[in-house]
Amino acid sequence: MSFRHFLRSAIKTSRITSSSKFALSSARSTLFATSNGDWNHRPFCSDSNSSTSVSEKSTTASASSYYHLSGGPSHMRAAVFWEPGKPLTFEDFHMPRPKANEVLIKTKACGVCHSDLHVMKGELPFASPCVVGHEITGEVVEHGQLTDSKIIERYPVGSHVVGAFIMPCGSCFFCSKGQDDLCEAFFAYNRAKGTLYDGETRLFLRNSGKPVYMYSMGGLAEYCVVPAHALAVLPNTLPYTESAILGCAVFTAYGAMAHAAEVRPGDAIAVIGIGGVGSSCLQIARAFGASEIIAVDVQDEKLQKAKMFGATHCVNALKEDAVKRIKDITGGMGVDVAVEALGKPQTFLQCVQSVRDGGKAVMIGLTLSGAKGEVDINHLVRRQIKVIGSYGARARQDLPKLIKLAESGIFNLTAAVSRTCKFEEAGQAYKDLDQGAISGRCVVEIM
């Protein structure tokens, strides 16, 4: 049916329901998108001339966003971050509604990550109030209207899925080149505004209808909306809880090792900071055939566990000069690749100083917004040292690979998850993470 016939029919019957209005609006958007040849090259043009703020747009849109899940509830609970210094609170929300090419997930598990903690401490600017949590597994319960049929076939209702924290739009300049980790829409909308790619959040408080923003998909919730390109099917052989870390801790480590460092068999690797991401780097380095894998931390407990993940040498940076020890282990050369997984100026410098001539220093640790790292410029220039930033992997290419690594046992998910907790205990888990009391990765079970 053409758009004109659809409109005429809707007016004639005088029975346009809220879902019909949504379909009508979506049809108009789709018609415009498909009739404009350069639409995919201008992913943000719809907001460029608008004077309406994201908050105003989200509040206006909220009335048509409330709906009952077919055969299920009309509302859910989520953990809300309000402002630095205040604890997470659990609030009731209207059921989030997926739009075209988005999927509604019943969340089963969500990892506890330092990136969330940086937001909660005010070290990384982000829209608030928001729902944090960006490392999830769950079950598909609904698809947005006008979702591509191939997406519905790939993720039918009932599918087990894992979600990546970098949620590619699939059509921007970088996504079209396969560089999902640099997706323009993700950084311009989600990280800059706390919304999805129409400039609107999917989260609205039940008591007031006010919008709450989304850090990635806002995973510390009973349900969450995820753009389909950020998902991969989780086989029934893998558990929901432990598999949640595939979407960030393992995802970040793989991006650093495969794309930034381009690790080769026989390479010597040093990982500075053995938390959830750092320990995943050790496992990925081992899987890639690294010969020497040096773990650096200040806690003996973490270093002891590092041996389980593939570390051939351990260095306690409180007890000895980490750079000197790395050079000693490698016969004075330094490592082919050093990875910084803490986000501190001191470890940034250690990372650069630990690599051999022509080596790569890969930075993956986030830190206080605006923090600076210093390097010796002459050493960098004369010895051809490469300093590379890496935020994560590429969801469409890499997430299925990580699932296969876990399914085959090459990546040990069980060993990587050091603690689990109930949904109501999420706030305490972040406090413990901040105090260094979690040695690996903690996962919140929401089932």
Side-chain angles (χ1 to χ4, degrees):
M1 179 184 294
S2 70
F3 175 77
R4 182 177 296 174
H5 289 158
F6 174 73
L7 180 62
R8 184 180 299 160
S9 175
I11 295 173
K12 184 176 181 180
T13 59
S14 298
R15 289 197 302 245
I16 302 180
T17 64
S18 60
S19 60
S20 297
K21 290 177 182 177
F22 176 80
L24 180 59
S25 175
S26 299
R28 184 182 294 112
S29 298
T30 303
L31 200 66
F32 177 73
T34 55
S35 64
N36 190 331
D38 65 350
W39 174 263
N40 286 337
H41 300 286
R42 300 182 293 107
F44 317 128
C45 63
S46 60
D47 289 333
S48 60
N49 296 318
S50 173
S51 60
T52 305
S53 70
V54 173
S55 178
E56 289 170 341
K57 288 177 62 181
S58 297
T59 304
T60 303
S62 65
S64 63
S65 300
Y66 307 157
Y67 79 115
H68 283 71
L69 179 63
S70 179
S74 62
H75 56 89
M76 67 157 194
R77 283 193 313 154
V80 179
F81 162 70
W82 296 93
E83 60 181 84
K86 288 194 174 182
L88 295 175
T89 64
F90 288 87
E91 308 292 342
D92 284 341
F93 284 79
H94 292 283
M95 183 62 63
R97 183 175 196 166
K99 297 186 181 180
N101 299 326
E102 296 173 355
V103 182
L104 180 63
I105 305 297
K106 184 176 183 180
T107 316
K108 298 294 186 177
C110 181
V112 176
C113 179
H114 263 103
S115 297
D116 296 322
L117 190 59
H118 285 308
V119 170
M120 294 162 66
K121 293 172 70 175
E123 295 173 349
L124 287 178
F126 195 78
S128 63
C130 70
V131 174
V132 293
H134 56 271
E135 190 179 62
I136 63 115
T137 53
E139 178 186 344
V140 173
V141 293
E142 185 115 355
H143 304 95
Q145 293 191 46
L146 299 180
T147 290
D148 189 293
S149 60
K150 292 181 180 179
I151 290 173
I152 296 173
E153 290 174 9
R154 190 178 307 128
Y155 308 114
V157 171
S159 298
H160 297 190
V161 292
V162 58
F165 83 92
I166 297 179
M167 307 180 301
C169 70
S171 59
C172 70
F173 173 83
F174 290 106
C175 284
S176 66
K177 291 179 172 293
Q179 294 177 286
D180 291 6
D181 48 330
L182 292 174
C183 174
E184 292 174 292
F186 173 74
F187 287 101
Y189 282 115
N190 188 265
R191 283 300 180 264
K193 301 178 182 179
T195 71
L196 293 186
Y197 308 146
D198 59 352
E200 297 174 359
T201 182
R202 302 293 180 265
L203 299 176
F204 300 92
L205 290 169
R206 190 182 180 200
N207 61 355
S208 65
K210 291 184 177 180
V212 171
Y213 300 101
M214 306 165 65
Y215 192 70
S216 289
M217 70 289 290
L220 272 179
E222 292 175 328
Y223 292 83
C224 61
V225 172
V226 187
H229 291 309
L231 296 171
V233 173
L234 186 70
N236 293 334
T237 53
L238 290 178
Y240 277 128
T241 299
E242 289 80 4
S243 299
I245 70 169
L246 291 169
C248 178
V250 187
F251 188 76
T252 301
Y254 188 88
M257 293 298 183
H259 303 306
E262 298 178 311
V263 173
R264 298 289 183 263
D267 280 353
I269 310 293
V271 179
I272 302 172
I274 312 302
V277 175
S279 59
S280 294
C281 286
L282 298 177
Q283 289 209 59
I284 297 295
R286 179 177 60 184
F288 282 9
S291 58
E292 293 168 313
I293 304 174
I294 305 168
V296 181
D297 205 281
V298 296
Q299 295 184 27
D300 286 331
E301 180 186 357
K302 290 184 178 182
L303 292 172
Q304 192 61 36
K305 285 196 70 174
K307 296 175 182 177
M308 296 173 51
F309 301 131
T312 58
H313 301 80
C314 294
V315 178
N316 188 317
L318 281 182
K319 300 176 180 179
E320 54 188 327
D321 185 319
V323 176
K324 182 178 184 303
R325 181 64 180 135
I326 289 171
K327 293 286 182 72
D328 289 343
I329 292 169
T330 55
M333 291 285 292
V335 290
D336 298 287
V337 175
V339 178
E340 198 282 344
L342 278 176
K344 296 181 180 296
Q346 178 185 359
T347 49
F348 180 98
L349 181 57
Q350 287 176 337
C351 184
V352 175
Q353 292 175 333
S354 297
V355 301
R356 65 165 174 80
D357 293 354
K360 298 175 182 176
V362 180
M363 309 300 170
I364 61 177
L366 292 176
T367 186
L368 180 68
S369 181
K372 302 291 190 295
E374 293 184 356
V375 296
D376 183 330
I377 296 175
N378 288 342
H379 177 70
L380 199 73
V381 173
R382 289 170 174 167
R383 309 322 302 160
Q384 298 181 27
I385 306 300
K386 302 172 184 67
V387 179
I388 308 167
S390 179
Y391 191 48
R394 298 163 184 174
R396 291 177 294 176
Q397 300 175 33
D398 298 334
L399 199 52
K401 297 175 186 176
L402 299 181
I403 290 169
K404 288 188 179 297
L405 285 177
E407 193 175 23
S408 66
I410 294 174
F411 192 98
N412 189 333
L413 287 173
T414 303
V417 175
S418 58
R419 172 176 161 185
T420 61
C421 67
K422 297 177 181 178
F423 192 22
E424 295 76 12
E425 299 170 333
Q428 184 60 49
Y430 281 106
K431 290 180 182 178
D432 292 345
L433 182 66
D434 190 29
Q435 295 169 2
I438 297 176
S439 59
R441 198 61 146 194
C442 176
V443 177
V444 178
E445 296 179 319
I446 309 178
M447 294 177 281

